[in-house]
Amino acid sequence: MPSVSIIVPSYNHAPFLQERWESIVNQTYQDYEIILLDDHSTDGSIEILKQFSTHPKVSHFVINEKNTGNPFIQWQRGIELAQGEFVWIAETDDKAHVLFLEKLVDKLLSDDRIGIAFCKSKGIDERGELIEKTSYLPDVNRWQSDFFLESKSQIANYFFLKNIIPNASAVVFRKRLLAQTSWKPDVFRYVGDWWAWYSILQFNAVYYFYEAYNSHRTHQQTTRVKSQTLPYILETYALRGLILKSSAIDKTTKRIVLNSLARQLVRHQGIVPLLFTLSGMRLCMSLTNIDPIVFFRISKIAASNVYHKMQ
């Protein structure tokens, strides 16, 4: 039985598939299986994947008859097929350093407390050229070297502010731990990864590598490009409502997030509709001294309702 299951969820990334494939099969750590999943691509990806499917490391090759519209449903299908103790979601528009699996798996094997190991990730463009410096906040100095984090309060506050693991391809996690959480693939379309990582780390430690063993690609189809859309923003606040229910978040962190919400919704909906949106609740909270916990409980419901009405 392989130690690692590499899930490769493909959808319309034909130009990047060869480079991604080579960065998988050339890993120095070779105790793995590869699960190829295609979500009804229309750009020639399936023909390329068929060539890869005969490789001896490929245990499954599944082509959907229709597109699911949700990458996390593909994650779940891959996890259900996975035989390994550890899972790597190798997104098809990214690429990895040859030492990626060796470094991350060795760390997971060395300490049972670690539920997730992840590394710094470099941003690249469609041609593979470096386009950005990865920024991790808060506590920016913390991210300048390797570290182990077990503090549940710090983990909760970090994830309440933002997804501190911005790229799934930079992560290796213990498969059994996700199954023990309340994570479901069809709840969120945009922030399902954020929810998955937080769900695991509620009860487990995380290890971070400062070395960038992963490169994530930015183009028009990526979630990073879509991250300023209203549906994405609403999902982030619905997720924060879930985090708030399960964790104690400090008042300063709540205030930072509430102010960010107001700014985002003003930008997307303007001043007049503001009074009838979640930021209207923010205004009401400031005028009436509503506790932030109450606000986020309301925002979770409101964000979910608005999001589903837009579908």
Side-chain angles (χ1 to χ4, degrees):
M1 185 175 295
S3 178
V4 180
S5 294
I6 304 175
I7 299 170
V8 184
S10 169
Y11 179 64
N12 284 352
H13 286 158
F16 315 124
L17 285 178
Q18 185 64 44
E19 187 174 26
R20 165 45 101 191
W21 177 255
E22 291 174 1
S23 79
I24 291 173
V25 297
N26 291 329
Q27 291 290 306
T28 56
Y29 187 93
Q30 286 284 306
D31 184 15
Y32 60 76
E33 65 171 340
I34 301 173
I35 299 171
L36 298 176
L37 305 174
D38 187 86
D39 203 7
H40 197 69
S41 291
T42 57
D43 68 341
S45 292
I46 294 173
E47 286 67 31
I48 299 172
L49 293 173
K50 285 179 179 177
Q51 299 174 34
F52 301 156
S53 67
T54 59
H55 191 281
K57 292 285 190 181
V58 175
S59 58
H60 298 86
F61 177 33
V62 181
I63 304 171
N64 288 346
E65 293 184 0
K66 62 179 181 178
N67 181 259
T68 64
N70 185 334
F72 306 112
I73 292 175
Q74 291 292 85
W75 282 31
Q76 182 63 29
R77 287 175 178 169
I79 291 168
E80 289 171 353
L81 295 171
Q83 301 178 71
E85 178 182 359
F86 307 113
V87 170
W88 175 23
I89 308 288
E91 295 179 318
T92 47
D93 52 345
D94 302 327
K95 63 179 181 177
H97 189 282
V98 294
L99 291 175
F100 173 81
L101 275 182
E102 179 180 330
K103 293 293 185 178
L104 273 66
V105 172
D106 281 354
K107 182 56 64 175
L108 285 160
L109 289 171
S110 71
D111 192 334
D112 290 340
R113 293 174 298 172
I114 301 172
I116 290 175
F118 77 106
C119 65
K120 184 179 179 179
S121 185
K122 297 183 295 186
I124 57 175
D125 64 16
E126 294 185 0
R127 295 173 296 177
E129 297 180 2
L130 189 66
I131 59 173
E132 64 183 63
K133 292 182 178 179
T134 303
S135 175
Y136 294 96
L137 293 172
D139 297 346
V140 67
N141 291 332
R142 174 184 287 278
W143 308 95
Q144 304 307 307
S145 61
D146 296 4
F147 70 83
F148 169 87
L149 181 62
E150 194 176 22
S151 167
K152 302 301 181 287
S153 60
Q154 281 189 299
I155 287 171
N157 276 292
Y158 285 173
F159 275 94
F160 192 69
L161 278 171
K162 65 179 293 184
N163 184 2
I164 63 170
I165 306 179
N167 184 245
S169 294
V171 176
V172 178
F173 64 94
R174 296 183 191 275
K175 182 183 70 172
R176 63 176 175 80
L177 296 181
L178 187 59
Q180 294 169 1
T181 72
S182 59
W183 183 83
K184 295 179 182 179
D186 56 351
V187 173
F188 296 112
R189 182 181 299 180
Y190 298 106
V191 298
D193 55 340
W194 186 346
W195 186 22
W197 311 144
Y198 173 71
S199 296
I200 292 173
L201 294 178
Q202 276 188 274
F203 308 104
N204 301 276
V206 62
Y207 194 91
Y208 166 75
F209 289 89
Y210 176 67
E211 188 71 28
Y213 296 115
N214 181 68
S215 297
H216 62 269
R217 204 178 304 266
T218 298
H219 52 86
Q220 289 305 307
Q221 296 181 44
T222 59
T223 300
R224 283 172 294 280
V225 172
K226 300 174 182 177
S227 64
Q228 296 305 309
T229 63
L230 185 58
Y232 177 90
I233 291 168
L234 293 175
E235 281 202 4
T236 67
Y237 286 92
L239 175 59
R240 287 178 171 117
L242 294 178
I243 294 174
L244 193 69
K245 279 188 173 183
S246 60
S247 306
I249 308 299
D250 66 56
K251 291 184 178 180
T252 299
T253 302
K254 291 173 189 172
R255 183 63 57 184
I256 291 171
V257 170
L258 290 168
N259 289 334
S260 174
L261 171 60
R263 289 193 302 272
Q264 288 173 318
L265 290 177
V266 167
R267 183 169 64 248
H268 280 276
Q269 297 193 222
I271 298 299
V272 174
L274 177 64
L275 297 176
F276 304 100
T277 64
L278 297 182
S279 54
M281 295 181 208
R282 168 69 179 85
L283 177 62
C284 290
M285 190 188 74
S286 66
L287 295 174
T288 61
N289 294 318
I290 297 174
D291 189 279
I293 293 179
V294 176
F295 171 82
F296 275 101
R297 286 175 179 166
I298 296 171
S299 72
K300 174 183 176 295
I301 298 170
S304 179
N305 288 343
V306 173
Y307 175 72
H308 288 298
K309 287 179 181 178
M310 296 176 63
Q311 302 310 298

